[in-house]
Amino acid sequence: WVAGEPPRIASVCRDAVELMLREEPATSQASIYISVSGVDGYFALVSRAGAKVSYAIADREYGMRDFTIEDSEGNQVAVGEPIVPG
């Protein structure tokens, strides 16, 4: 899938693996998005470990429940899972 005009974010998928690509022209930092099952457990684990949380866990308008942490260089790792309609 591709989103934005012009496109600034896209994803390529094969089987159970999805790689999301995002353009961040204003920064030189890298970012990655990892889809998991049990995102709340991962958030609790990294929070207890002292990770720098830049976006707390929440349900997002794009259909994911996720959070973002970053390293000392500003590189970001987002972890999320699809919101299951209930």
Side-chain angles (χ1 to χ4, degrees):
W1 53 265
V2 176
E5 188 56 47
R8 301 194 69 102
I9 188 168
S11 180
V12 292
C13 306
R14 181 170 181 173
D15 302 324
V17 177
E18 180 177 6
L19 176 62
M20 188 179 342
L21 310 166
R22 181 173 64 181
E23 181 181 21
E24 295 289 345
T27 70
S28 61
Q29 288 78 24
S31 64
I32 186 170
Y33 195 102
I34 303 169
S35 247
V36 300
S37 294
V39 70
D40 290 286
Y42 284 106
F43 182 71
L45 181 69
V46 299
S47 294
R48 282 193 307 268
K52 180 181 178 185
V53 177
S54 47
Y55 295 98
I57 194 162
D59 292 349
R60 309 290 180 202
E61 70 279 354
Y62 44 83
M64 298 293 285
R65 178 167 179 77
D66 60 19
F67 66 92
T68 303
I69 58 174
E70 66 180 66
D71 68 13
S72 60
E73 301 296 319
N75 299 303
Q76 297 187 337
V77 177
V79 181
E81 71 180 320
I83 298 168
V84 178

